[in-house]
Amino acid sequence: VQLQASGGGLVQAGGSLRLSCAASGRTFSSGVMGWFRQAPGKEREFVAGIRSSVGMTSYADSVKGRFTISRDNAKNTVYLQMNSLKPDDTAVYYCASAPRVLTTQAMRWSDEYDSWGQGTLVTVSS
């Protein structure tokens, strides 16, 4: 499956951004879509995931209550609405696709995802 992420940019702390990830090549209504991020000098970490068929979601504790993942199956697109952004949210954000139905715990494991987008940079200034 091919993934195209967009929507990154520069925003001040407390601001909002919405990331989009357009998918093609796989039935979008199956499996799981996820967002991960990698900050400079740090390992890639899970941000949020959504089971495409029923909308079950999972969030990292660091973003819970501030970020919302959603999907539009008709448009084959998954979104990440990011509110109350902090400088610590600065990272390259990647969308990813997993072919299997995953538990909310398994959504956090990057090895479950077999397709990755190119990444979009989010910079939050203080």
Side-chain angles (χ1 to χ4, degrees), residues 72-117:
D72 185 334
N73 289 347
K75 295 183 178 180
N76 283 1
T77 300
V78 64
Y79 304 98
L80 185 68
Q81 178 66 44
M82 305 185 295
N83 299 329
S84 302
L85 282 161
K86 305 174 182 179
D88 284 349
D89 295 318
T90 295
V92 177
Y93 284 71
Y94 299 90
C95 61
S97 174
R100 301 193 304 116
V101 173
L102 303 174
T103 64
T104 53
Q105 181 65 28
M107 288 183 193
R108 301 167 177 261
W109 306 336
S110 61
D111 288 347
E112 293 287 352
Y113 296 82
D114 64 353
S115 297
W116 294 81

Side-chain angles (χ1 to χ4, degrees), residues 11-27:
V11 63
Q12 288 188 330
S16 299
L17 280 175
R18 189 177 80 156
L19 306 183
S20 300
C21 177
S24 62
R26 175 188 285 154
T27 301

